[in-house]
Amino acid sequence: MSAQELVLRQRTEILHALCSSGSAEHLDQVLDILLSQGELVPEDYQNIQVPGRSLYTKTRQLLDLVHAKGVDTCVLFYAALKQVLPEGQGAGFSFPGIGSNGEEKEDHPSTSTRTLLAQRPSLVSELQGCVEDALHALVITGHFTSADCNDVRLPVYTPSQQARRLLDHVRAKGESAAKVVLRYVQQKQGSGSSLNQENWTPPKGAPSFESCWKYQKKLSSSVSAQSCFLSTYGGTSHMALDDIYTEGQLELAHYCGDVHGPLGLEDVVGAVGTVNKEADTVLVSGDAGGGKSTLLQRLHLLWARGTLLREFLLLFPFSCRRLNSERQDLSVKELLFDHCCWPDREQEEIFQFILDHPHLILFTFDGLDELKHGFSDEHRLCCPTQRAPVQILLFNLIQGSLMKGVRKVVTSRPEAVGPVLKKHLRKEVLLQGFTPSGIECFVRKHHSDPAVASKVLASLRTKNALLGLCHSPVLCWIVSHCHKELLGCGEGSPRTITDVYLMILQHFFQHRSSPKSTTGTSWLQEHLDTVLHLGQLAFEGIGTSCFIFSPADLETCGVTEKDICMGFLVQSKDMSPTRSKCFEFLHLMMQCFFAALYIVSSNNADRSIISNLFEPQNMRATGLGSSSCFGACSSSAGKQGQALNGEAASEERPNLKITATFVSGLLSQRHRSLWLHCCPSAVTEKRVRQVVRCLSKGMHKHFKSIPPPVDGEKKSMHAMPGFVWLIKCIYEMQDSRVAKDAVSKLEVDHLKLTYCNIGPVECTALAYVLQHLRNPVGLQLDNNSVGDVGVEQLLPCMHNCHSLYLRNNSITDEGIRKLLATGIHCDSFRKIALFNNKLTDACTQHFSHLLKSRQDFLSIRLGNNNITEEGAKQLAEGLKSNRSLKYLGLWGNKIGDAGAVALASALQSSTSLVWLSLVGNGVGNAGAGALANVIRNSTSLEELWLTENCITRSGVECLVQALKENTRMKSVWVINNDLTLEEVEDLRQRESRLTF
């Protein structure tokens, strides 16, 4: 019997042998062999490997094709089958005798693309363990784009399938790409290991690439040297970044879609969350001290090592703070080479390569909010060789007018980012600070002695307010740095941001002072000259957006070598070899703190500064913007006009707000004694009254803007970020009388603070002020960054919240445990909404206890979490004894039929439940039947939502029959279930209360 006849006769056995395991590997290997022998052409292969087609269908098509091609092809097919199948697996069918036709054909490929086919089986074997390295070789030679790489990397592919996918893409790209892969494999075989960018050499014949490759090594070496030690906080600790780096919480901005699970560093530049594919710029936004610069530094280091961002051949890092000091007009070429890394040779060829291969280039700009000029897209620039002021160059790079296709990553505080910039973004990633586990990880990394770290952590756990502050990486660093002061402070531990900065101020002074201190003199009085000198420098710089100071700037403010030696100023990295030695503060927050110290302690401070500082519309009028100091800053400002331009004119200036917050804290009752020897007490008291008056005026201005309630609704206030800032200032003052006065005229039923960038620090301040409300309110904090730490900070005001809305806040079961442990004792607290958090079945036992204990609780909404049937059963235990709950929302979970049955059993005799949502829970007919009994027996239920489940007609029939026995029921929603159009139409006519 011929091989062709055997293919027909043994079709079932062959299908079983190739498909029964469920893996496509055997089929793929047979296809590889037939392709390499020329029995299949690429078009045949593509017709078989159609995406989405089942394995059995693909195999049947191959058998049909082999049979149609004739006896010779069938013989080779059997030879391939025998080669691929393990011994014993083909025992169910016989192989034909394989003669000369079964031997490998002589083949002398004349091109690289033909070689890819002829050597396909061995190439798949060679590549499957090093697909990433091969992709990197193709990217840096300009043959593959990020999209090509992503297509190969799809997680549905096995390593061997990824290798085949890569070869398919390469063949489509042509001869040049095929040469790169073959050369790569040849060098890999020679080295005996996979190759990386350090030891792989590109094909010859591309002079610009050869030059660029050498330049890449120099650039990566430079970037590595700049990134290997922690540069934030002045790098004073000389800590290796690997030893101290702790990941913060990364999330997508609300308009960038919803991603379940945490984001990693690779997702910053990756495709996840892309909203504008035509844009090139990714924004990383976060509060001052939130770790943005350190995150960029980590990205830089991993790129230089070749372990991340491998799709980019060249990475150019820029500091907007240092670009502020650039007085000359620049071209793109000068920006890259003068400010990052100068090529030793062939500058023109390298720059041309950058222009020709934009997808291989990455720019990073740290601290966009530190530019003197706000973002503007009015001045367009398209020519990369044309010189322009540095901010115009930067703005055109961000919006894509210049260097289109080059990926850019920009960091900024959220207050400095307006709609003009956002329309040019590819996506926005939010850096939200440390989680509780992140705080612990950072503290343990910071202390080489585990015993000390454990003591610091134990101390933090007993100081709730301080633990909330440590959510911010810069404050966590200060607390760790000043651990001796922290452990010795007893009951007087830091509670506010001002407290923490005063702690490090005292720490620096005491560790750098002579032991022969003046007896009877306070530490601040002893170092008052240094405080005033550095304070004036900081104060003048904040007003002109100047953060790098020349020797002339220091001399103007009286800063001496002794002042510098205190450690608050560190030498700035020079922007060019000819630039004189410059200085900057340890951190921008430290500069704001010293500016506030100057305002509070100086006798020379203008009387109008405080009032102007707290009223944004007067900020331009303050002396903060009119200094004649700082040549670099003022000359640039003179060249481009006012220091406030473009979007900055409408956006609030965050550095002034931070300074105002510190001023509030420094003038609090607990710190007022510090200023007794600095300025007359009458002056200090007057400044205190000024701050209190400004805060009261600001709060009442917000209250006056509250619109009257709509008929039938209660009065509500939608607060803005400016309101949250005022709350933080009040908290820094730590004066309950000020807090009570601030909210004395707040008469609303609902306080809405959505999308206000509220984290644990803001929660602490909110709780401090809102606990003084006259009447309970509904507090809506949806779409913020509250987290478990923030939940704990809110507990002091729980007695004044009748409703708490915390949708999309990264809260876990542990946060809920603490929240409900307090909330269960708060009589006013009756509603909670926790849609889209990180809750699991573990949280339901706490809700069950709440339902058993509180017979006045009204609403629980837990949609879009990770609650399964076990969690539903826990809730059911609480529902059995509860007689008050009116609203229960569990949409977007995974309770299934078993969970629905458990809930239905508990709710059958409910006399209170009005609304129940089980949308998107995998509920089928069994669940629908159980819920039909609830409809039949309940005297209160009005709405039942069962949209997007898997209920068929029989399940809906149960609901129809139940509705006939309940005239109170208003609607049952069954959109997107397993019903045909005919069934929907029939059921709709029979029961109008069904919504399809």
PDB file of all heavy atoms in Angstrom, residues 27 93 140 222 297 357 380 412 420 511 523 557 634 712 722 740 749 774 821 843 881 887 908 916 955 973 975 980:
ATOM      1  N   LEU A  27       2.945  18.832  15.729  1.00  0.00           N
ATOM      2  CA  LEU A  27       2.512  19.349  14.427  1.00  0.00           C
ATOM      3  C   LEU A  27       3.490  20.404  13.922  1.00  0.00           C
ATOM      4  O   LEU A  27       3.875  20.403  12.742  1.00  0.00           O
ATOM      5  CB  LEU A  27       1.107  19.934  14.533  1.00  0.00           C
ATOM      6  CG  LEU A  27       0.583  20.635  13.286  1.00  0.00           C
ATOM      7  CD1 LEU A  27       0.443  19.657  12.122  1.00  0.00           C
ATOM      8  CD2 LEU A  27      -0.750  21.336  13.562  1.00  0.00           C
ATOM      9  N   PHE A  93      -0.123   2.790  14.171  1.00  0.00           N
ATOM     10  CA  PHE A  93      -0.208   2.749  12.708  1.00  0.00           C
ATOM     11  C   PHE A  93       1.163   2.379  12.130  1.00  0.00           C
ATOM     12  O   PHE A  93       2.185   2.529  12.783  1.00  0.00           O
ATOM     13  CB  PHE A  93      -0.688   4.093  12.138  1.00  0.00           C
ATOM     14  CG  PHE A  93       0.118   5.286  12.591  1.00  0.00           C
ATOM     15  CD1 PHE A  93       1.208   5.723  11.855  1.00  0.00           C
ATOM     16  CD2 PHE A  93      -0.226   5.983  13.742  1.00  0.00           C
ATOM     17  CE1 PHE A  93       1.948   6.826  12.259  1.00  0.00           C
ATOM     18  CE2 PHE A  93       0.508   7.086  14.149  1.00  0.00           C
ATOM     19  CZ  PHE A  93       1.585   7.512  13.419  1.00  0.00           C
ATOM     20  N   ILE A 140      18.090  46.518  17.288  1.00  0.00           N
ATOM     21  CA  ILE A 140      19.173  47.502  17.224  1.00  0.00           C
ATOM     22  C   ILE A 140      19.745  47.656  15.816  1.00  0.00           C
ATOM     23  O   ILE A 140      20.441  48.633  15.539  1.00  0.00           O
ATOM     24  CB  ILE A 140      20.305  47.164  18.218  1.00  0.00           C
ATOM     25  CG1 ILE A 140      20.959  45.835  17.880  1.00  0.00           C
ATOM     26  CG2 ILE A 140      19.797  47.162  19.638  1.00  0.00           C
ATOM     27  CD1 ILE A 140      22.135  45.480  18.769  1.00  0.00           C
ATOM     28  N   SER A 222      28.549  55.588  30.608  1.00  0.00           N
ATOM     29  CA  SER A 222      28.323  56.859  31.285  1.00  0.00           C
ATOM     30  C   SER A 222      27.036  56.823  32.106  1.00  0.00           C
ATOM     31  O   SER A 222      27.008  57.256  33.263  1.00  0.00           O
ATOM     32  CB  SER A 222      28.250  57.986  30.247  1.00  0.00           C
ATOM     33  OG  SER A 222      27.849  59.196  30.838  1.00  0.00           O
ATOM     34  N   GLN A 297      16.176  56.715  37.625  1.00  0.00           N
ATOM     35  CA  GLN A 297      17.555  56.266  37.799  1.00  0.00           C
ATOM     36  C   GLN A 297      17.633  54.743  37.697  1.00  0.00           C
ATOM     37  O   GLN A 297      18.571  54.187  37.106  1.00  0.00           O
ATOM     38  CB  GLN A 297      18.070  56.723  39.168  1.00  0.00           C
ATOM     39  CG  GLN A 297      19.557  56.520  39.362  1.00  0.00           C
ATOM     40  CD  GLN A 297      20.020  56.958  40.740  1.00  0.00           C
ATOM     41  OE1 GLN A 297      19.305  57.643  41.470  1.00  0.00           O
ATOM     42  NE2 GLN A 297      21.208  56.544  41.116  1.00  0.00           N
ATOM     43  N   HIS A 357      16.633  56.254  12.759  1.00  0.00           N
ATOM     44  CA  HIS A 357      16.098  55.138  13.549  1.00  0.00           C
ATOM     45  C   HIS A 357      15.501  55.645  14.864  1.00  0.00           C
ATOM     46  O   HIS A 357      15.949  55.273  15.957  1.00  0.00           O
ATOM     47  CB  HIS A 357      17.207  54.116  13.848  1.00  0.00           C
ATOM     48  CG  HIS A 357      17.852  53.545  12.630  1.00  0.00           C
ATOM     49  ND1 HIS A 357      18.899  54.175  11.971  1.00  0.00           N
ATOM     50  CD2 HIS A 357      17.593  52.414  11.920  1.00  0.00           C
ATOM     51  CE1 HIS A 357      19.257  53.453  10.934  1.00  0.00           C
ATOM     52  NE2 HIS A 357      18.480  52.382  10.870  1.00  0.00           N
ATOM     53  N   ARG A 380       6.124  76.173  17.553  1.00  0.00           N
ATOM     54  CA  ARG A 380       6.427  74.908  16.888  1.00  0.00           C
ATOM     55  C   ARG A 380       7.822  74.932  16.282  1.00  0.00           C
ATOM     56  O   ARG A 380       8.246  75.924  15.698  1.00  0.00           O
ATOM     57  CB  ARG A 380       5.385  74.633  15.799  1.00  0.00           C
ATOM     58  CG  ARG A 380       4.005  74.286  16.345  1.00  0.00           C
ATOM     59  CD  ARG A 380       4.067  73.053  17.242  1.00  0.00           C
ATOM     60  NE  ARG A 380       2.812  72.761  17.883  1.00  0.00           N
ATOM     61  CZ  ARG A 380       1.943  71.868  17.439  1.00  0.00           C
ATOM     62  NH1 ARG A 380       2.190  71.195  16.331  1.00  0.00           N
ATOM     63  NH2 ARG A 380       0.830  71.635  18.102  1.00  0.00           N
ATOM     64  N   SER A 412       6.908  64.404  36.515  1.00  0.00           N
ATOM     65  CA  SER A 412       6.413  65.693  36.984  1.00  0.00           C
ATOM     66  C   SER A 412       5.466  65.475  38.152  1.00  0.00           C
ATOM     67  O   SER A 412       4.863  64.401  38.293  1.00  0.00           O
ATOM     68  CB  SER A 412       5.672  66.429  35.863  1.00  0.00           C
ATOM     69  OG  SER A 412       5.101  67.644  36.352  1.00  0.00           O
ATOM     70  N   VAL A 420      -3.224  70.960  28.260  1.00  0.00           N
ATOM     71  CA  VAL A 420      -2.440  71.211  27.045  1.00  0.00           C
ATOM     72  C   VAL A 420      -1.363  70.144  26.879  1.00  0.00           C
ATOM     73  O   VAL A 420      -1.132  69.638  25.778  1.00  0.00           O
ATOM     74  CB  VAL A 420      -1.808  72.623  27.081  1.00  0.00           C
ATOM     75  CG1 VAL A 420      -0.973  72.859  25.836  1.00  0.00           C
ATOM     76  CG2 VAL A 420      -2.887  73.684  27.199  1.00  0.00           C
ATOM     77  N   HIS A 511      25.128  66.698  64.243  1.00  0.00           N
ATOM     78  CA  HIS A 511      26.168  65.770  63.791  1.00  0.00           C
ATOM     79  C   HIS A 511      27.324  66.482  63.105  1.00  0.00           C
ATOM     80  O   HIS A 511      28.349  65.849  62.819  1.00  0.00           O
ATOM     81  CB  HIS A 511      25.574  64.721  62.838  1.00  0.00           C
ATOM     82  CG  HIS A 511      24.839  63.641  63.554  1.00  0.00           C
ATOM     83  ND1 HIS A 511      23.609  63.841  64.151  1.00  0.00           N
ATOM     84  CD2 HIS A 511      25.157  62.330  63.780  1.00  0.00           C
ATOM     85  CE1 HIS A 511      23.197  62.725  64.696  1.00  0.00           C
ATOM     86  NE2 HIS A 511      24.107  61.792  64.494  1.00  0.00           N
ATOM     87  N   TRP A 523      19.554  74.734  69.854  1.00  0.00           N
ATOM     88  CA  TRP A 523      20.261  74.301  68.643  1.00  0.00           C
ATOM     89  C   TRP A 523      19.958  75.218  67.472  1.00  0.00           C
ATOM     90  O   TRP A 523      20.822  75.488  66.646  1.00  0.00           O
ATOM     91  CB  TRP A 523      19.911  72.853  68.322  1.00  0.00           C
ATOM     92  CG  TRP A 523      18.456  72.597  68.020  1.00  0.00           C
ATOM     93  CD1 TRP A 523      17.487  72.244  68.913  1.00  0.00           C
ATOM     94  CD2 TRP A 523      17.809  72.694  66.748  1.00  0.00           C
ATOM     95  NE1 TRP A 523      16.282  72.113  68.286  1.00  0.00           N
ATOM     96  CE2 TRP A 523      16.442  72.376  66.959  1.00  0.00           C
ATOM     97  CE3 TRP A 523      18.240  73.011  65.465  1.00  0.00           C
ATOM     98  CZ2 TRP A 523      15.506  72.370  65.927  1.00  0.00           C
ATOM     99  CZ3 TRP A 523      17.316  73.003  64.437  1.00  0.00           C
ATOM    100  CH2 TRP A 523      15.961  72.688  64.668  1.00  0.00           C
ATOM    101  N   CYS A 557      23.755  85.706  48.959  1.00  0.00           N
ATOM    102  CA  CYS A 557      22.932  85.369  50.126  1.00  0.00           C
ATOM    103  C   CYS A 557      23.772  85.132  51.376  1.00  0.00           C
ATOM    104  O   CYS A 557      23.233  84.738  52.415  1.00  0.00           O
ATOM    105  CB  CYS A 557      22.097  84.127  49.839  1.00  0.00           C
ATOM    106  SG  CYS A 557      20.888  84.387  48.533  1.00  0.00           S
ATOM    107  N   SER A 634      17.784  84.519  36.214  1.00  0.00           N
ATOM    108  CA  SER A 634      17.136  85.764  35.824  1.00  0.00           C
ATOM    109  C   SER A 634      17.413  86.121  34.367  1.00  0.00           C
ATOM    110  O   SER A 634      16.567  86.686  33.688  1.00  0.00           O
ATOM    111  CB  SER A 634      17.586  86.900  36.749  1.00  0.00           C
ATOM    112  OG  SER A 634      18.983  87.032  36.726  1.00  0.00           O
ATOM    113  N   GLY A 712     -34.956  67.493  45.665  1.00  0.00           N
ATOM    114  CA  GLY A 712     -35.010  66.069  45.974  1.00  0.00           C
ATOM    115  C   GLY A 712     -33.668  65.475  46.361  1.00  0.00           C
ATOM    116  O   GLY A 712     -33.603  64.315  46.753  1.00  0.00           O
ATOM    117  N   GLY A 722      -7.087  72.259  45.587  1.00  0.00           N
ATOM    118  CA  GLY A 722      -6.754  73.405  46.438  1.00  0.00           C
ATOM    119  C   GLY A 722      -7.352  73.290  47.823  1.00  0.00           C
ATOM    120  O   GLY A 722      -6.765  73.728  48.826  1.00  0.00           O
ATOM    121  N   LYS A 740     -11.576  73.434  63.935  1.00  0.00           N
ATOM    122  CA  LYS A 740     -13.017  73.597  64.187  1.00  0.00           C
ATOM    123  C   LYS A 740     -13.563  74.805  63.447  1.00  0.00           C
ATOM    124  O   LYS A 740     -14.641  74.747  62.839  1.00  0.00           O
ATOM    125  CB  LYS A 740     -13.257  73.763  65.688  1.00  0.00           C
ATOM    126  CG  LYS A 740     -13.121  72.488  66.484  1.00  0.00           C
ATOM    127  CD  LYS A 740     -13.322  72.744  67.969  1.00  0.00           C
ATOM    128  CE  LYS A 740     -13.133  71.477  68.786  1.00  0.00           C
ATOM    129  NZ  LYS A 740     -13.276  71.732  70.227  1.00  0.00           N
ATOM    130  N   ASP A 749     -24.200  67.389  53.053  1.00  0.00           N
ATOM    131  CA  ASP A 749     -24.441  65.986  53.399  1.00  0.00           C
ATOM    132  C   ASP A 749     -23.407  65.075  52.747  1.00  0.00           C
ATOM    133  O   ASP A 749     -23.201  63.952  53.194  1.00  0.00           O
ATOM    134  CB  ASP A 749     -25.845  65.576  52.941  1.00  0.00           C
ATOM    135  CG  ASP A 749     -26.190  64.161  53.360  1.00  0.00           C
ATOM    136  OD1 ASP A 749     -26.411  63.956  54.568  1.00  0.00           O
ATOM    137  OD2 ASP A 749     -26.199  63.262  52.491  1.00  0.00           O
ATOM    138  N   ARG A 774     -19.730  69.313  62.474  1.00  0.00           N
ATOM    139  CA  ARG A 774     -20.895  69.326  63.364  1.00  0.00           C
ATOM    140  C   ARG A 774     -21.812  68.140  63.074  1.00  0.00           C
ATOM    141  O   ARG A 774     -22.425  67.590  63.989  1.00  0.00           O
ATOM    142  CB  ARG A 774     -21.665  70.634  63.173  1.00  0.00           C
ATOM    143  CG  ARG A 774     -20.903  71.865  63.662  1.00  0.00           C
ATOM    144  CD  ARG A 774     -21.736  73.118  63.445  1.00  0.00           C
ATOM    145  NE  ARG A 774     -21.037  74.302  63.943  1.00  0.00           N
ATOM    146  CZ  ARG A 774     -21.536  75.542  63.858  1.00  0.00           C
ATOM    147  NH1 ARG A 774     -22.726  75.738  63.290  1.00  0.00           N
ATOM    148  NH2 ARG A 774     -20.857  76.560  64.343  1.00  0.00           N
ATOM    149  N   ALA A 821     -13.224  47.196  61.904  1.00  0.00           N
ATOM    150  CA  ALA A 821     -13.051  47.055  63.350  1.00  0.00           C
ATOM    151  C   ALA A 821     -13.399  48.355  64.067  1.00  0.00           C
ATOM    152  O   ALA A 821     -13.925  48.345  65.195  1.00  0.00           O
ATOM    153  CB  ALA A 821     -11.614  46.650  63.669  1.00  0.00           C
ATOM    154  N   CYS A 843     -11.915  39.243  53.145  1.00  0.00           N
ATOM    155  CA  CYS A 843     -12.586  40.434  53.694  1.00  0.00           C
ATOM    156  C   CYS A 843     -14.030  40.147  54.072  1.00  0.00           C
ATOM    157  O   CYS A 843     -14.623  40.874  54.882  1.00  0.00           O
ATOM    158  CB  CYS A 843     -12.523  41.596  52.702  1.00  0.00           C
ATOM    159  SG  CYS A 843     -13.717  41.483  51.344  1.00  0.00           S
ATOM    160  N   SER A 881     -28.997  36.943  59.458  1.00  0.00           N
ATOM    161  CA  SER A 881     -29.488  37.571  60.688  1.00  0.00           C
ATOM    162  C   SER A 881     -29.642  39.081  60.566  1.00  0.00           C
ATOM    163  O   SER A 881     -29.977  39.748  61.546  1.00  0.00           O
ATOM    164  CB  SER A 881     -28.540  37.239  61.847  1.00  0.00           C
ATOM    165  OG  SER A 881     -27.215  37.676  61.537  1.00  0.00           O
ATOM    166  N   TYR A 887     -29.006  47.651  50.085  1.00  0.00           N
ATOM    167  CA  TYR A 887     -28.282  47.590  48.814  1.00  0.00           C
ATOM    168  C   TYR A 887     -27.078  46.665  48.960  1.00  0.00           C
ATOM    169  O   TYR A 887     -26.247  46.841  49.853  1.00  0.00           O
ATOM    170  CB  TYR A 887     -27.809  48.985  48.393  1.00  0.00           C
ATOM    171  CG  TYR A 887     -28.929  49.983  48.306  1.00  0.00           C
ATOM    172  CD1 TYR A 887     -29.245  50.805  49.389  1.00  0.00           C
ATOM    173  CD2 TYR A 887     -29.684  50.113  47.146  1.00  0.00           C
ATOM    174  CE1 TYR A 887     -30.271  51.728  49.311  1.00  0.00           C
ATOM    175  CE2 TYR A 887     -30.726  51.028  47.055  1.00  0.00           C
ATOM    176  CZ  TYR A 887     -31.011  51.829  48.148  1.00  0.00           C
ATOM    177  OH  TYR A 887     -32.048  52.727  48.070  1.00  0.00           O
ATOM    178  N   GLN A 908     -33.994  34.948  51.151  1.00  0.00           N
ATOM    179  CA  GLN A 908     -35.356  34.558  50.787  1.00  0.00           C
ATOM    180  C   GLN A 908     -36.419  35.257  51.617  1.00  0.00           C
ATOM    181  O   GLN A 908     -37.473  35.623  51.110  1.00  0.00           O
ATOM    182  CB  GLN A 908     -35.523  33.041  50.922  1.00  0.00           C
ATOM    183  CG  GLN A 908     -35.050  32.297  49.684  1.00  0.00           C
ATOM    184  CD  GLN A 908     -35.564  30.876  49.631  1.00  0.00           C
ATOM    185  OE1 GLN A 908     -36.688  30.615  50.006  1.00  0.00           O
ATOM    186  NE2 GLN A 908     -34.726  29.966  49.147  1.00  0.00           N
ATOM    187  N   LEU A 916     -30.170  44.392  44.407  1.00  0.00           N
ATOM    188  CA  LEU A 916     -29.127  43.369  44.434  1.00  0.00           C
ATOM    189  C   LEU A 916     -28.496  43.277  43.057  1.00  0.00           C
ATOM    190  O   LEU A 916     -29.188  43.134  42.054  1.00  0.00           O
ATOM    191  CB  LEU A 916     -29.728  42.008  44.826  1.00  0.00           C
ATOM    192  CG  LEU A 916     -28.786  40.793  44.742  1.00  0.00           C
ATOM    193  CD1 LEU A 916     -27.635  40.928  45.726  1.00  0.00           C
ATOM    194  CD2 LEU A 916     -29.564  39.502  45.004  1.00  0.00           C
ATOM    195  N   GLY A 955     -33.378  29.163  32.771  1.00  0.00           N
ATOM    196  CA  GLY A 955     -33.143  29.988  33.957  1.00  0.00           C
ATOM    197  C   GLY A 955     -34.012  31.226  33.964  1.00  0.00           C
ATOM    198  O   GLY A 955     -34.557  31.621  35.010  1.00  0.00           O
ATOM    199  N   TRP A 973     -32.704  42.700  35.335  1.00  0.00           N
ATOM    200  CA  TRP A 973     -31.827  42.976  34.186  1.00  0.00           C
ATOM    201  C   TRP A 973     -31.091  41.701  33.807  1.00  0.00           C
ATOM    202  O   TRP A 973     -30.338  41.143  34.607  1.00  0.00           O
ATOM    203  CB  TRP A 973     -30.825  44.073  34.545  1.00  0.00           C
ATOM    204  CG  TRP A 973     -31.484  45.402  34.818  1.00  0.00           C
ATOM    205  CD1 TRP A 973     -32.259  45.728  35.888  1.00  0.00           C
ATOM    206  CD2 TRP A 973     -31.430  46.565  33.987  1.00  0.00           C
ATOM    207  NE1 TRP A 973     -32.693  47.034  35.792  1.00  0.00           N
ATOM    208  CE2 TRP A 973     -32.200  47.571  34.632  1.00  0.00           C
ATOM    209  CE3 TRP A 973     -30.816  46.859  32.777  1.00  0.00           C
ATOM    210  CZ2 TRP A 973     -32.370  48.842  34.101  1.00  0.00           C
ATOM    211  CZ3 TRP A 973     -30.967  48.138  32.252  1.00  0.00           C
ATOM    212  CH2 TRP A 973     -31.741  49.106  32.902  1.00  0.00           C
ATOM    213  N   ILE A 975     -29.406  41.428  30.532  1.00  0.00           N
ATOM    214  CA  ILE A 975     -28.706  41.741  29.289  1.00  0.00           C
ATOM    215  C   ILE A 975     -27.472  40.844  29.153  1.00  0.00           C
ATOM    216  O   ILE A 975     -26.818  40.509  30.130  1.00  0.00           O
ATOM    217  CB  ILE A 975     -28.290  43.229  29.277  1.00  0.00           C
ATOM    218  CG1 ILE A 975     -29.519  44.124  29.377  1.00  0.00           C
ATOM    219  CG2 ILE A 975     -27.477  43.578  28.040  1.00  0.00           C
ATOM    220  CD1 ILE A 975     -29.190  45.589  29.640  1.00  0.00           C
ATOM    221  N   THR A 980     -30.971  33.501  22.548  1.00  0.00           N
ATOM    222  CA  THR A 980     -31.028  33.895  21.149  1.00  0.00           C
ATOM    223  C   THR A 980     -31.925  35.114  21.005  1.00  0.00           C
ATOM    224  O   THR A 980     -32.686  35.475  21.915  1.00  0.00           O
ATOM    225  CB  THR A 980     -31.597  32.756  20.284  1.00  0.00           C
ATOM    226  OG1 THR A 980     -32.975  32.546  20.664  1.00  0.00           O
ATOM    227  CG2 THR A 980     -30.801  31.468  20.490  1.00  0.00           C
TER     228      THR A 980
END
